[in-house]
PDB file of all heavy atoms in Angstrom:
ATOM      1  N   ARG B  15     -15.463   2.712  12.039  1.00 96.00           N
ATOM      2  CA  ARG B  15     -15.797   2.714  13.488  1.00 96.00           C
ATOM      3  C   ARG B  15     -16.776   3.830  13.687  1.00 96.00           C
ATOM      4  O   ARG B  15     -17.623   3.725  14.561  1.00 96.00           O
ATOM      5  CB  ARG B  15     -14.554   2.902  14.315  1.00 96.00           C
ATOM      6  CG  ARG B  15     -13.803   1.590  14.388  1.00 96.00           C
ATOM      7  CD  ARG B  15     -12.637   1.622  15.421  1.00 96.00           C
ATOM      8  NE  ARG B  15     -13.152   1.902  16.579  1.00 96.00           N
ATOM      9  CZ  ARG B  15     -12.335   2.147  17.643  1.00 96.00           C
ATOM     10  NH1 ARG B  15     -11.038   2.069  17.544  1.00 96.00           N
ATOM     11  NH2 ARG B  15     -12.799   2.382  18.961  1.00 96.00           N
ATOM     12  N   ARG B  16     -16.643   4.900  12.972  1.00 96.00           N
ATOM     13  CA  ARG B  16     -17.595   6.029  13.132  1.00 96.00           C
ATOM     14  C   ARG B  16     -18.980   5.703  12.628  1.00 96.00           C
ATOM     15  O   ARG B  16     -19.959   6.227  13.254  1.00 96.00           O
ATOM     16  CB  ARG B  16     -17.118   7.320  12.389  1.00 96.00           C
ATOM     17  CG  ARG B  16     -17.920   8.548  12.595  1.00 96.00           C
ATOM     18  CD  ARG B  16     -17.294   9.815  12.053  1.00 96.00           C
ATOM     19  NE  ARG B  16     -16.827   9.743  10.658  1.00 96.00           N
ATOM     20  CZ  ARG B  16     -17.702  10.046   9.684  1.00 96.00           C
ATOM     21  NH1 ARG B  16     -18.926  10.310   9.893  1.00 96.00           N
ATOM     22  NH2 ARG B  16     -17.367   9.934   8.397  1.00 96.00           N
ATOM     23  N   LEU B  17     -19.122   4.861  11.611  1.00 97.00           N
ATOM     24  CA  LEU B  17     -20.529   4.459  11.120  1.00 97.00           C
ATOM     25  C   LEU B  17     -21.017   3.407  11.932  1.00 97.00           C
ATOM     26  O   LEU B  17     -22.285   3.045  11.628  1.00 97.00           O
ATOM     27  CB  LEU B  17     -20.379   4.237   9.661  1.00 97.00           C
ATOM     28  CG  LEU B  17     -19.895   5.356   8.691  1.00 97.00           C
ATOM     29  CD1 LEU B  17     -19.979   4.796   7.258  1.00 97.00           C
ATOM     30  CD2 LEU B  17     -20.726   6.520   8.848  1.00 97.00           C
ATOM     31  N   SER B  18     -20.384   2.737  12.804  1.00 97.00           N
ATOM     32  CA  SER B  18     -20.880   1.456  13.439  1.00 97.00           C
ATOM     33  C   SER B  18     -20.953   1.661  14.971  1.00 97.00           C
ATOM     34  O   SER B  18     -20.218   2.501  15.566  1.00 97.00           O
ATOM     35  CB  SER B  18     -20.097   0.336  13.101  1.00 97.00           C
ATOM     36  OG  SER B  18     -18.744   0.427  13.532  1.00 97.00           O
ATOM     37  N   TRP B  19     -21.810   0.930  15.677  1.00 96.00           N
ATOM     38  CA  TRP B  19     -21.809   0.943  17.069  1.00 96.00           C
ATOM     39  C   TRP B  19     -20.632   0.178  17.677  1.00 96.00           C
ATOM     40  O   TRP B  19     -20.126  -0.715  16.945  1.00 96.00           O
ATOM     41  CB  TRP B  19     -23.108   0.291  17.620  1.00 96.00           C
ATOM     42  CG  TRP B  19     -24.358   0.865  17.251  1.00 96.00           C
ATOM     43  CD1 TRP B  19     -25.329   0.377  16.271  1.00 96.00           C
ATOM     44  CD2 TRP B  19     -24.836   2.173  17.587  1.00 96.00           C
ATOM     45  NE1 TRP B  19     -26.340   1.294  16.158  1.00 96.00           N
ATOM     46  CE2 TRP B  19     -26.126   2.459  16.939  1.00 96.00           C
ATOM     47  CE3 TRP B  19     -24.347   3.215  18.428  1.00 96.00           C
ATOM     48  CZ2 TRP B  19     -26.824   3.561  17.099  1.00 96.00           C
ATOM     49  CZ3 TRP B  19     -25.042   4.352  18.596  1.00 96.00           C
ATOM     50  CH2 TRP B  19     -26.337   4.536  17.938  1.00 96.00           C
ATOM     51  N   LYS B  20     -20.109   0.739  18.733  1.00 94.00           N
ATOM     52  CA  LYS B  20     -18.929   0.039  19.392  1.00 94.00           C
ATOM     53  C   LYS B  20     -19.302  -1.369  19.852  1.00 94.00           C
ATOM     54  O   LYS B  20     -18.396  -2.225  19.739  1.00 94.00           O
ATOM     55  CB  LYS B  20     -18.409   0.838  20.515  1.00 94.00           C
ATOM     56  CG  LYS B  20     -17.637   2.009  20.090  1.00 94.00           C
ATOM     57  CD  LYS B  20     -17.067   2.750  21.272  1.00 94.00           C
ATOM     58  CE  LYS B  20     -15.809   2.120  21.733  1.00 94.00           C
ATOM     59  NZ  LYS B  20     -15.115   2.833  22.926  1.00 94.00           N
ATOM     60  N   ARG B  21     -20.471  -1.549  20.359  1.00 94.00           N
ATOM     61  CA  ARG B  21     -20.906  -2.862  20.858  1.00 94.00           C
ATOM     62  C   ARG B  21     -21.323  -3.716  19.741  1.00 94.00           C
ATOM     63  O   ARG B  21     -21.590  -3.325  18.563  1.00 94.00           O
ATOM     64  CB  ARG B  21     -22.043  -2.632  21.868  1.00 94.00           C
ATOM     65  CG  ARG B  21     -23.287  -2.175  21.247  1.00 94.00           C
ATOM     66  CD  ARG B  21     -24.318  -1.689  22.264  1.00 94.00           C
ATOM     67  NE  ARG B  21     -25.563  -1.315  21.642  1.00 94.00           N
ATOM     68  CZ  ARG B  21     -25.816  -0.276  21.094  1.00 94.00           C
ATOM     69  NH1 ARG B  21     -25.029   0.678  21.056  1.00 94.00           N
ATOM     70  NH2 ARG B  21     -27.034  -0.042  20.596  1.00 94.00           N
ATOM     71  N   HIS B  22     -21.617  -5.026  20.083  1.00 94.00           N
ATOM     72  CA  HIS B  22     -22.223  -5.910  19.084  1.00 94.00           C
ATOM     73  C   HIS B  22     -23.710  -5.880  19.270  1.00 94.00           C
ATOM     74  O   HIS B  22     -24.244  -6.103  20.290  1.00 94.00           O
ATOM     75  CB  HIS B  22     -21.717  -7.355  19.556  1.00 94.00           C
ATOM     76  CG  HIS B  22     -22.040  -8.454  18.679  1.00 94.00           C
ATOM     77  ND1 HIS B  22     -21.410  -8.738  17.424  1.00 94.00           N
ATOM     78  CD2 HIS B  22     -23.053  -9.389  18.738  1.00 94.00           C
ATOM     79  CE1 HIS B  22     -21.969  -9.738  16.803  1.00 94.00           C
ATOM     80  NE2 HIS B  22     -22.967 -10.215  17.511  1.00 94.00           N
ATOM     81  N   VAL B  23     -24.361  -5.464  18.209  1.00 95.00           N
ATOM     82  CA  VAL B  23     -25.856  -5.420  18.156  1.00 95.00           C
ATOM     83  C   VAL B  23     -26.419  -6.484  17.348  1.00 95.00           C
ATOM     84  O   VAL B  23     -26.035  -6.792  16.239  1.00 95.00           O
ATOM     85  CB  VAL B  23     -26.242  -4.054  17.470  1.00 95.00           C
ATOM     86  CG1 VAL B  23     -27.762  -3.853  17.445  1.00 95.00           C
ATOM     87  CG2 VAL B  23     -25.572  -2.811  18.094  1.00 95.00           C
ATOM     88  N   VAL B  24     -27.409  -7.184  18.016  1.00 94.00           N
ATOM     89  CA  VAL B  24     -28.138  -8.329  17.355  1.00 94.00           C
ATOM     90  C   VAL B  24     -29.551  -8.015  17.335  1.00 94.00           C
ATOM     91  O   VAL B  24     -30.219  -7.615  18.444  1.00 94.00           O
ATOM     92  CB  VAL B  24     -27.797  -9.628  18.083  1.00 94.00           C
ATOM     93  CG1 VAL B  24     -28.565 -10.727  17.505  1.00 94.00           C
ATOM     94  CG2 VAL B  24     -26.311  -9.971  18.169  1.00 94.00           C
ATOM     95  N   LEU B  25     -30.199  -8.172  16.265  1.00 95.00           N
ATOM     96  CA  LEU B  25     -31.598  -7.932  16.208  1.00 95.00           C
ATOM     97  C   LEU B  25     -32.376  -9.319  15.915  1.00 95.00           C
ATOM     98  O   LEU B  25     -31.697 -10.300  15.420  1.00 95.00           O
ATOM     99  CB  LEU B  25     -31.868  -7.017  15.001  1.00 95.00           C
ATOM    100  CG  LEU B  25     -31.178  -5.675  14.878  1.00 95.00           C
ATOM    101  CD1 LEU B  25     -31.586  -4.969  13.574  1.00 95.00           C
ATOM    102  CD2 LEU B  25     -31.606  -4.858  16.145  1.00 95.00           C
ATOM    103  N   GLU B  26     -33.578  -9.299  16.150  1.00 93.00           N
ATOM    104  CA  GLU B  26     -34.424 -10.523  15.782  1.00 93.00           C
ATOM    105  C   GLU B  26     -34.431 -10.503  14.275  1.00 93.00           C
ATOM    106  O   GLU B  26     -34.587  -9.503  13.623  1.00 93.00           O
ATOM    107  CB  GLU B  26     -35.854 -10.379  16.374  1.00 93.00           C
ATOM    108  CG  GLU B  26     -36.772 -11.451  16.052  1.00 93.00           C
ATOM    109  CD  GLU B  26     -38.107 -11.302  16.579  1.00 93.00           C
ATOM    110  OE1 GLU B  26     -38.231 -10.733  17.702  1.00 93.00           O
ATOM    111  OE2 GLU B  26     -39.078 -11.705  15.914  1.00 93.00           O
ATOM    112  N   ARG B  27     -34.209 -11.725  13.699  1.00 92.00           N
ATOM    113  CA  ARG B  27     -34.182 -11.820  12.238  1.00 92.00           C
ATOM    114  C   ARG B  27     -35.573 -11.424  11.602  1.00 92.00           C
ATOM    115  O   ARG B  27     -36.502 -11.828  12.089  1.00 92.00           O
ATOM    116  CB  ARG B  27     -33.873 -13.310  11.932  1.00 92.00           C
ATOM    117  CG  ARG B  27     -33.714 -13.578  10.445  1.00 92.00           C
ATOM    118  CD  ARG B  27     -33.308 -14.980  10.165  1.00 92.00           C
ATOM    119  NE  ARG B  27     -33.254 -15.261   8.790  1.00 92.00           N
ATOM    120  CZ  ARG B  27     -32.235 -15.094   8.023  1.00 92.00           C
ATOM    121  NH1 ARG B  27     -31.094 -14.596   8.515  1.00 92.00           N
ATOM    122  NH2 ARG B  27     -32.223 -15.388   6.775  1.00 92.00           N
ATOM    123  N   ASN B  28     -35.387 -10.586  10.599  1.00 89.00           N
ATOM    124  CA  ASN B  28     -36.595 -10.166   9.872  1.00 89.00           C
ATOM    125  C   ASN B  28     -36.302 -10.013   8.397  1.00 89.00           C
ATOM    126  O   ASN B  28     -35.460  -9.284   7.958  1.00 89.00           O
ATOM    127  CB  ASN B  28     -37.022  -8.756  10.413  1.00 89.00           C
ATOM    128  CG  ASN B  28     -38.274  -8.255   9.832  1.00 89.00           C
ATOM    129  OD1 ASN B  28     -38.575  -8.480   8.528  1.00 89.00           O
ATOM    130  ND2 ASN B  28     -39.054  -7.521  10.499  1.00 89.00           N
ATOM    131  N   THR B  29     -36.989 -10.833   7.648  1.00 88.00           N
ATOM    132  CA  THR B  29     -36.835 -10.946   6.200  1.00 88.00           C
ATOM    133  C   THR B  29     -37.969 -10.222   5.493  1.00 88.00           C
ATOM    134  O   THR B  29     -37.903 -10.267   4.241  1.00 88.00           O
ATOM    135  CB  THR B  29     -36.730 -12.427   5.694  1.00 88.00           C
ATOM    136  OG1 THR B  29     -37.872 -13.063   6.086  1.00 88.00           O
ATOM    137  CG2 THR B  29     -35.464 -13.119   6.378  1.00 88.00           C
ATOM    138  N   GLU B  30     -38.922  -9.568   6.173  1.00 86.00           N
ATOM    139  CA  GLU B  30     -39.983  -8.996   5.562  1.00 86.00           C
ATOM    140  C   GLU B  30     -39.846  -7.562   5.266  1.00 86.00           C
ATOM    141  O   GLU B  30     -40.615  -6.968   4.355  1.00 86.00           O
ATOM    142  CB  GLU B  30     -41.274  -9.218   6.447  1.00 86.00           C
ATOM    143  CG  GLU B  30     -41.601 -10.681   6.782  1.00 86.00           C
ATOM    144  CD  GLU B  30     -41.751 -11.508   5.483  1.00 86.00           C
ATOM    145  OE1 GLU B  30     -42.536 -10.985   4.596  1.00 86.00           O
ATOM    146  OE2 GLU B  30     -41.294 -12.634   5.371  1.00 86.00           O
ATOM    147  N   SER B  31     -39.015  -6.796   5.966  1.00 85.00           N
ATOM    148  CA  SER B  31     -38.912  -5.391   5.874  1.00 85.00           C
ATOM    149  C   SER B  31     -37.678  -4.881   5.105  1.00 85.00           C
ATOM    150  O   SER B  31     -36.567  -5.213   5.489  1.00 85.00           O
ATOM    151  CB  SER B  31     -38.930  -4.765   7.271  1.00 85.00           C
ATOM    152  OG  SER B  31     -38.756  -3.400   7.155  1.00 85.00           O
ATOM    153  N   ASP B  32     -37.868  -4.178   4.036  1.00 85.00           N
ATOM    154  CA  ASP B  32     -36.757  -3.673   3.432  1.00 85.00           C
ATOM    155  C   ASP B  32     -36.037  -2.614   4.284  1.00 85.00           C
ATOM    156  O   ASP B  32     -34.831  -2.325   4.219  1.00 85.00           O
ATOM    157  CB  ASP B  32     -37.247  -2.783   2.128  1.00 85.00           C
ATOM    158  CG  ASP B  32     -37.805  -3.680   1.027  1.00 85.00           C
ATOM    159  OD1 ASP B  32     -37.537  -4.949   1.149  1.00 85.00           O
ATOM    160  OD2 ASP B  32     -38.489  -3.226   0.160  1.00 85.00           O
ATOM    161  N   ASP B  33     -36.719  -1.842   5.192  1.00 88.00           N
ATOM    162  CA  ASP B  33     -36.216  -0.851   6.047  1.00 88.00           C
ATOM    163  C   ASP B  33     -35.702  -1.450   7.354  1.00 88.00           C
ATOM    164  O   ASP B  33     -35.250  -0.671   8.118  1.00 88.00           O
ATOM    165  CB  ASP B  33     -37.305   0.117   6.390  1.00 88.00           C
ATOM    166  CG  ASP B  33     -36.983   1.429   6.376  1.00 88.00           C
ATOM    167  OD1 ASP B  33     -35.782   1.829   5.801  1.00 88.00           O
ATOM    168  OD2 ASP B  33     -37.629   2.352   7.003  1.00 88.00           O
ATOM    169  N   TRP B  34     -35.572  -2.713   7.425  1.00 89.00           N
ATOM    170  CA  TRP B  34     -35.170  -3.532   8.715  1.00 89.00           C
ATOM    171  C   TRP B  34     -33.816  -3.015   9.090  1.00 89.00           C
ATOM    172  O   TRP B  34     -32.910  -3.001   8.330  1.00 89.00           O
ATOM    173  CB  TRP B  34     -35.227  -4.920   8.467  1.00 89.00           C
ATOM    174  CG  TRP B  34     -34.894  -5.730   9.742  1.00 89.00           C
ATOM    175  CD1 TRP B  34     -33.859  -6.493   9.886  1.00 89.00           C
ATOM    176  CD2 TRP B  34     -35.634  -5.613  10.991  1.00 89.00           C
ATOM    177  NE1 TRP B  34     -33.906  -7.026  11.253  1.00 89.00           N
ATOM    178  CE2 TRP B  34     -34.943  -6.506  11.860  1.00 89.00           C
ATOM    179  CE3 TRP B  34     -36.763  -5.011  11.409  1.00 89.00           C
ATOM    180  CZ2 TRP B  34     -35.394  -6.765  13.181  1.00 89.00           C
ATOM    181  CZ3 TRP B  34     -37.189  -5.148  12.713  1.00 89.00           C
ATOM    182  CH2 TRP B  34     -36.547  -5.991  13.488  1.00 89.00           C
ATOM    183  N   GLY B  35     -33.644  -2.767  10.308  1.00 93.00           N
ATOM    184  CA  GLY B  35     -32.339  -2.309  10.817  1.00 93.00           C
ATOM    185  C   GLY B  35     -32.169  -0.860  11.016  1.00 93.00           C
ATOM    186  O   GLY B  35     -31.263  -0.238  11.716  1.00 93.00           O
ATOM    187  N   ARG B  36     -32.995  -0.031  10.216  1.00 94.00           N
ATOM    188  CA  ARG B  36     -32.835   1.379  10.082  1.00 94.00           C
ATOM    189  C   ARG B  36     -32.890   1.968  11.597  1.00 94.00           C
ATOM    190  O   ARG B  36     -32.092   2.899  11.929  1.00 94.00           O
ATOM    191  CB  ARG B  36     -33.834   1.977   9.280  1.00 94.00           C
ATOM    192  CG  ARG B  36     -33.655   3.453   9.145  1.00 94.00           C
ATOM    193  CD  ARG B  36     -34.674   4.034   8.056  1.00 94.00           C
ATOM    194  NE  ARG B  36     -34.312   5.418   7.740  1.00 94.00           N
ATOM    195  CZ  ARG B  36     -34.575   5.922   6.566  1.00 94.00           C
ATOM    196  NH1 ARG B  36     -35.152   5.258   5.696  1.00 94.00           N
ATOM    197  NH2 ARG B  36     -34.219   7.217   6.442  1.00 94.00           N
ATOM    198  N   ALA B  37     -33.863   1.579  12.336  1.00 95.00           N
ATOM    199  CA  ALA B  37     -34.087   2.192  13.649  1.00 95.00           C
ATOM    200  C   ALA B  37     -33.002   1.909  14.638  1.00 95.00           C
ATOM    201  O   ALA B  37     -32.797   2.559  15.577  1.00 95.00           O
ATOM    202  CB  ALA B  37     -35.430   1.695  14.275  1.00 95.00           C
ATOM    203  N   ASP B  38     -32.278   0.790  14.298  1.00 96.00           N
ATOM    204  CA  ASP B  38     -31.145   0.412  15.262  1.00 96.00           C
ATOM    205  C   ASP B  38     -29.745   0.816  14.731  1.00 96.00           C
ATOM    206  O   ASP B  38     -28.819   0.509  15.460  1.00 96.00           O
ATOM    207  CB  ASP B  38     -31.238  -1.161  15.384  1.00 96.00           C
ATOM    208  CG  ASP B  38     -32.552  -1.550  16.054  1.00 96.00           C
ATOM    209  OD1 ASP B  38     -32.731  -1.216  17.196  1.00 96.00           O
ATOM    210  OD2 ASP B  38     -33.380  -2.071  15.333  1.00 96.00           O
ATOM    211  N   ALA B  39     -29.625   1.363  13.543  1.00 97.00           N
ATOM    212  CA  ALA B  39     -28.388   1.773  12.948  1.00 97.00           C
ATOM    213  C   ALA B  39     -27.996   3.178  13.333  1.00 97.00           C
ATOM    214  O   ALA B  39     -28.876   3.911  13.744  1.00 97.00           O
ATOM    215  CB  ALA B  39     -28.352   1.740  11.439  1.00 97.00           C
ATOM    216  N   LYS B  40     -26.683   3.403  13.427  1.00 97.00           N
ATOM    217  CA  LYS B  40     -26.194   4.821  13.691  1.00 97.00           C
ATOM    218  C   LYS B  40     -26.682   5.746  12.589  1.00 97.00           C
ATOM    219  O   LYS B  40     -26.705   5.436  11.387  1.00 97.00           O
ATOM    220  CB  LYS B  40     -24.696   4.820  13.803  1.00 97.00           C
ATOM    221  CG  LYS B  40     -24.210   4.269  15.104  1.00 97.00           C
ATOM    222  CD  LYS B  40     -22.670   4.436  15.331  1.00 97.00           C
ATOM    223  CE  LYS B  40     -22.400   5.839  15.812  1.00 97.00           C
ATOM    224  NZ  LYS B  40     -20.912   5.924  16.067  1.00 97.00           N
TER     225      LYS B  40
END
Side-chain angles (χ1 to χ4, degrees):
R15 287 189 57 191
R16 185 169 55 85
L17 297 183
S18 63
W19 297 113
K20 285 182 78 171
R21 68 189 185 280
H22 186 76
V23 177
V24 179
L25 306 175
E26 182 178 325
R27 184 176 175 83
N28 183 324
T29 61
E30 301 300 318
S31 172
D32 291 344
D33 222 19
W34 184 242
R36 183 180 193 148
D38 298 288
K40 282 184 87 171

